Every structure is written in C-alpha cells, then in structure tokens.
Amino acid sequence: MSNIIISVAKGDGIGPEIMNAVLSIFEAATVPLEYDYVDMGKGVYDKGYSTGMTDGAKASIEATGILFKGPMETPKGGGVKSINVTARKTWNTHSNIRKFQTIKGVDTVFSKAGIPINLTIVRENIEDTYGGIEHYMTKDVAVSRRIISRPGSEQVIRSAFEVALKEGYSTVTCGHKANIMKLTDGMFLDTFYEIAKEYPQLKAEDVIVDALCMKLVYAPQQFECIVLTNLQGDIVSDLCAGLVGGLGFAPSANIGDHIKIFEAVHGTAPDIAGQNKANPTSLLLSGTLMLNNLGLEHYGTAISNALLATIDKGIHTGDFGEDRTNSAGTKEFAEAIIKELDLSKITDSNPEKYHKPSKLGKNKMMVSSDEIIETVGIDLFVESEQQADHIAQIVQSNLDADMELTTITNRGTQVWPEGSVYTDLVDTYVVRIEKNTTNEVKKKRFMEQAIRMYDHLNIGSIEMLITIDGVRKYSLAQGQKVNALS
Ligand code: NAI
C-alpha cells in the first residue's frame, strides 16, 4: 500500500512539541502517511504575510486535501485575520466536528457517577455572525448581520446525519433558537427536518438551545449527535468539553467537500511552551479522527486504545489528574502510549475510502428556483433623537398613496402606532413602510420612496421586505399587528 501524503503545520508555542509527540506515535504505529511540512502561523505573519500562510503552504494543502495542524498564534492588532478562521473560510470547511467521550482515568463529575458520555457536536463553520459583517448604525447603535443560508444549512446538517451513521448513533438533535429567530434559525430547523427525511433509519428531534444546555449539564448521556448553527455550536461545544474534562480531551475536525483540517482545539499555551509539559491528547485524538477519515480506522483505533490504556494506568501530563507532581513530560507520555500500542489488529486498509482532493468545479450551492419573490415594503433605519410620533408625522406627510407607515420600532420593540411607556429609546428607529394595495409595486418605487424620505430623515440604512410565494419573509416587531395584506 502506498503512503498517503498530508500537509502538516506544526504551529507555534507548544505546537511543535505536541506535533512531534503525535508523529512519533504515528511512526511507531506504522501509519502509512507521508508529511509535507508547511509554513503557517506566527513566523509567517512576522515575514509580512497577512493571511498567516505562505503560497507554498496553500498550494500543498490544496494538493493533498488534508491539513493536520498544531495551534497557531494570531498577532493581536495590525489588521491581520486569524489563521484558523482564514483557513476554514478559504477552503469552505463547512462542518466543525467535535467528539466528546468519557476517558477512563480523566475524572469528571459524570465519570465519578458512572455516567458515560459519548456525543458529537457538529457545528456550522462558515455562516452566522462569523461572517463578521458589522456596522455602526449611529453613534450609539452597532449591528451585526447574521447570515444563515439554506444550502449552507443543508451541508452541515447532512454532515451531522453522516456522522451519526458512522458513529452508530440512533438520534440526531438540532439545537436552535427558532422560537425567537424565526427566519434564520427557522430556516435552519426547517432544513433539518427536510434532510432528516433522507435518513429514515435515524431519529430526528430538536431542542431549543438554552434548554439543550441545561439538559447537557444534568443528563448528557441522553444526547448522541447535535447539530447547531455557528455561534450556538461554538458555545455548546465548549460546554461539552467541560463535561469530559476540558478542551484537552476533545478532538476537532473541520470538514469541507474538498479540504479537511484536523487540529487541537486549545491554543499555543505560551506559558509552558518549550518545557516538555504540554499535553498532546487533543492533537492525538484529532489525528485519530483524521486517520478514520482517511480510511485508516485500524490505525486510529489502535492509537486511541493505547492512549486510553496509558491514561487508565495513571500516566498523564501535569495539566490534569490527581497526581500532578509526579506527572509525565510530553515526550515520556508519548513513549508510554507507544508501549501500549497493539498493532496485531491492523489487518487491512481500504484504499477506496481514501479522501481524494478535488477542486470546486461550479458553485453547486447556487440553485435557481421558480419561487415568486415580491417586494412589499421597506425598512428605513433612521437616526433621530425625536419621539416616534414626530417621525411618524414626517413619514406620513411624504408617503405615496399606495404605501403606508405600518410600524416604528426601537431596538426591535414597537413604539408607534402603539407602544409601552416603559420602552426606553436609543437613537436609531426602524421605520417600516409597506404597500397598502394588492397590486404589484415595483421594487424601484420603494427605493424612490426612501430617497424622498431622505430629504426629511437621517436614513443610515435600508432593508427590503419581501414575500416568497406570498409568504412573509421578514420579522414582525415586538408588539406589531399583522398588516391586512401580509
Ligand atoms: P491556550 O489554550 O493556549 O491556554 C490556556 C491555558 O491552558 C494555559 O494555561 C495553557 O498552559 C493551558 N493549555 C492549553 N493547551 C494545553 C496543553 N495541550 N497542555 C497543557 N496545558 C495546556 O489559550 P490562550 O492562552 O487564550 O491563547 C494563547 C494563544 O493561542 C493565542 O495567541 C491564541 O490566539 C492562540 N490560539 C490558537 C488556537 C488555534 O490555533 N486553534 C485556538 C485558541 C487560541
């Protein structure tokens, strides 16, 4: 069997120590891999590359399709982007997969109570507030755009069902906040149940994310595979790391259709760098995920069994466990794992399953449809220190005959035509103008209406209100009554 070539970036701080430890275990386990070492991280930023990776590194990763990386330092300030976020976005690794399992020898409240944990969080990795699209609307109001797309949701949800099949789980749970974010999380949830139909052998259920957190803390054993949008997934996955003993015991894979990134979830630990104290477990477990992904499951299983046997014998680095004084160094820990390796069960590997790198041929996420999209109104984001009645008067005296002012809101709460005396105001109102006719009103007319309003109001931003096949696709304000036409 010929070796598979992967790209390896050792990383910064403790990165080289833990990567060397992991690769020494791979070598002892006769894992059929070859490494193309690439330059990424601090040293590359220091040379003036704002992306934190050299052109050679990019070319290598695109040729091998696999990046195995240690933690990397992103310089603070200076306008450079995080290497981790850049890598995930550049290669559209849409699904972040993190597995959380009870490890014998790592004491937690649950392990002490004899409650086993075996769950996987699949987190959307590209969209949501991580687009980082933020603006100051006025001096006192900043907004963030939260983008959720149907094709993006499909990708990550399908990944979750595939993970569940691979892991032998019976249930996939969708965590969401669709009761509040009815359109964004609502789309994610609808998509979840659509995709679930493709997997009739698996049970699909959903839980509101706050209740999910509570249930995870008191009974994590009731969950197997949980899929979430990006920010909620970020928070819930760290919560789960806490359930199994911390970030050091949770492997992480960023899976795209073309490129896959396997990494430790912790940082560069500058306080212990170069001291042979770092725990390589997170990187090693991510490495075993990578081996499983490459069709080298026998090697992955042999290595994780050796790791578990080592920890079970009480051999561990000084960052966990009861005996921290007499703990092993990074190298000694790796040597102890090597001693536990049982290679007798490595009988075959299936080349058919090897990940083969490919490039994006066409934008398959861009799909045309016959749905009828109609613009029915416009939201004007207006800066003003006046009361809502005053703004309403200005708007109403400048409205076209086929349009009406339906609501004015402040921080999402309706303040006109009715409001609560307890609503405190900031300097940004949203003025909603909707058509009051069943006839079609051209989109351009709403823009023209906005421009006319601009002569009287300080408009910072606008948002079109649309329906798709007659269904309203914009949120109502808290307290707003539904317009007769919508
Ligand atoms: P950190 O995870 O590096 O350290 C937090 C604490 O955990 C420290 O006390 C450290 O000694 C300990 N620790 C972390 N990993 C350990 C290990 N394997 N073994 C033993 N102890 C370990 O987080 P921090 O201090 O917030 O970030 C340091 C640097 O790492 C920053 O430059 C940050 O940007 C970078 N970072 C990189 C990540 C990545 O490449 N995926 C992720 C998180 C942070």
Side-chain angles (χ1 to χ4, degrees):
M1 181 174 64
S2 58
N3 287 349
I4 305 166
I5 304 173
I6 64 165
S7 307
V8 174
K10 290 191 175 182
D12 304 313
I14 58 168
E17 296 162 63
I18 57 174
M19 185 60 84
N20 289 340
V22 168
L23 297 187
S24 72
I25 297 166
F26 279 15
E27 192 185 341
T30 67
V31 173
L33 289 179
E34 266 173 50
Y35 310 118
D36 188 14
Y37 293 101
V38 298
D39 284 334
M40 295 175 84
K42 185 173 184 311
V44 179
Y45 284 114
D46 289 347
K47 282 185 199 145
Y49 291 85
S50 64
T51 57
M53 71 177 103
T54 60
D55 295 343
K58 193 163 180 276
S60 163
I61 295 156
E62 290 178 6
T64 64
I66 300 281
L67 171 61
F68 189 33
K69 69 177 275 294
M72 289 172 192
E73 181 183 333
T74 302
K76 293 191 180 70
V80 297
K81 294 267 185 195
S82 150
I83 179 85
N84 301 306
V85 179
T86 301
R88 285 173 211 158
K89 288 195 175 253
T90 305
W91 294 305
N92 194 32
T93 56
H94 47 71
S95 304
N96 176 252
I97 298 171
R98 283 168 70 180
K99 191 167 176 192
F100 305 94
Q101 227 174 343
T102 307
I103 297 180
K104 221 170 150 211
V106 179
D107 283 343
T108 67
V109 195
F110 297 101
S111 65
K112 283 182 182 162
I115 298 170
I117 297 174
N118 175 7
L119 64 91
T120 300
I121 300 284
V122 181
R123 161 191 168 196
E124 200 285 321
N125 220 10
I126 307 281
E127 305 186 341
D128 202 338
T129 44
Y130 287 68
I133 307 170
E134 299 195 319
H135 300 92
Y136 260 64
M137 203 70 99
T138 57
K139 67 178 182 3
D140 281 345
V141 177
V143 291
S144 168
R145 288 274 188 148
R146 178 168 193 256
I147 294 180
I148 302 290
S149 79
R150 195 182 306 279
S153 304
E154 280 174 12
Q155 279 184 328
V156 68
I157 291 165
R158 204 165 267 121
S159 292
F161 280 96
E162 290 298 324
V163 165
L165 285 183
K166 222 172 179 175
E167 293 287 336
Y169 294 147
S170 59
T171 307
V172 181
T173 307
C174 176
H176 63 88
K177 194 74 186 171
N179 53 329
I180 301 295
M181 292 176 282
K182 293 188 165 67
L183 300 187
T184 47
D185 272 25
M187 177 193 274
F188 191 76
L189 184 58
D190 288 348
T191 309
F192 172 75
Y193 281 113
E194 274 305 306
I195 301 287
K197 289 181 197 156
E198 297 171 20
Y199 298 88
Q201 65 277 51
L202 294 168
K203 186 175 163 217
E205 59 175 32
D206 71 277
V207 185
I208 292 175
V209 68
D210 36 353
L212 173 67
C213 290
M214 190 252 305
K215 289 178 180 183
L216 277 168
V217 169
Y218 80 71
Q221 71 278 16
Q222 37 175 308
F223 295 99
E224 293 181 321
C225 182
I226 308 172
V227 61
L228 296 125
T229 51
N230 204 342
L231 179 60
Q232 293 169 26
D234 192 4
I235 297 164
V236 173
S237 51
D238 270 23
L239 183 154
C240 291
L243 301 177
V244 296
L247 291 176
F249 302 99
S252 167
N254 295 293
I255 304 291
D257 292 345
H258 309 275
I259 312 270
K260 301 177 186 186
I261 304 170
F262 298 86
E263 62 182 341
V265 284
H266 55 73
T268 59
D271 50 334
I272 55 165
Q275 298 172 32
N276 192 36
K277 283 184 179 168
N279 182 358
T281 301
S282 175
L283 189 64
L284 185 62
L285 287 171
S286 300
T288 61
L289 265 190
M290 175 177 74
L291 297 179
N292 295 347
N293 215 275
L294 287 166
L296 301 171
E297 288 93 342
H298 288 152
Y299 296 92
T301 308
I303 291 171
S304 41
N305 286 344
L307 168 73
L308 298 180
T310 307
I311 296 177
D312 195 25
K313 280 191 172 163
I315 304 171
H316 54 77
T317 47
D319 53 315
F320 72 98
E322 273 164 18
D323 180 8
R324 294 180 185 220
T325 45
N326 203 13
S327 53
T330 312
K331 274 191 202 147
E332 294 70 32
F333 184 54
E335 284 159 9
I337 295 170
I338 289 169
K339 280 204 194 113
E340 294 294 333
L341 278 171
D342 173 7
L343 304 185
S344 63
K345 295 204 180 65
I346 300 175
T347 50
D348 70 326
S349 301
N350 181 359
E352 293 302 307
K353 287 197 275 178
Y354 290 166
H355 168 80
K356 298 205 177 57
S358 59
K359 292 221 162 107
L360 189 64
K362 61 177 183 127
N363 285 319
K364 63 179 180 343
M365 292 171 81
M366 214 115 52
V367 277
S368 51
S369 82
D370 303 330
E371 291 165 321
I372 298 168
I373 301 179
E374 191 193 351
T375 303
V376 296
I378 194 165
D379 274 349
L380 309 176
F381 291 73
V382 172
E383 177 175 3
S384 173
E385 286 170 10
Q386 300 286 350
Q387 292 300 304
D389 280 348
H390 177 80
I391 297 169
Q393 268 175 18
I394 296 174
V395 174
Q396 283 175 321
S397 53
N398 290 283
L399 269 179
D400 291 353
D402 53 359
M403 301 205 193
E404 70 174 300
L405 171 65
T406 50
T407 180
I408 299 178
T409 58
N410 198 292
R411 287 190 292 159
T413 304
Q414 178 169 279
V415 290
W416 186 95
E418 288 159 10
S420 159
V421 289
Y422 298 105
T423 304
D424 218 344
L425 303 174
V426 296
D427 66 359
T428 302
Y429 288 94
V430 179
V431 171
R432 177 163 290 178
I433 296 170
E434 291 174 89
K435 69 172 192 165
N436 59 8
T437 165
T438 48
N439 295 336
E440 187 194 350
V441 174
K442 290 255 180 278
K443 188 172 182 176
K444 191 175 165 201
R445 286 268 324 286
F446 291 103
M447 299 297 281
E448 288 165 349
Q449 177 74 83
I451 290 167
R452 264 198 310 287
M453 289 294 170
Y454 190 73
D455 289 337
H456 310 279
L457 295 169
N458 184 6
I459 299 172
S461 175
I462 60 171
E463 199 79 65
M464 307 310 290
L465 307 178
I466 64 164
T467 60
I468 300 180
D469 285 343
V471 179
R472 181 170 44 81
K473 294 294 178 187
Y474 51 94
S475 54
L476 294 178
Q478 196 70 49
Q480 184 187 353
K481 298 206 171 69
V482 184
N483 175 323
L485 293 168
S486 49

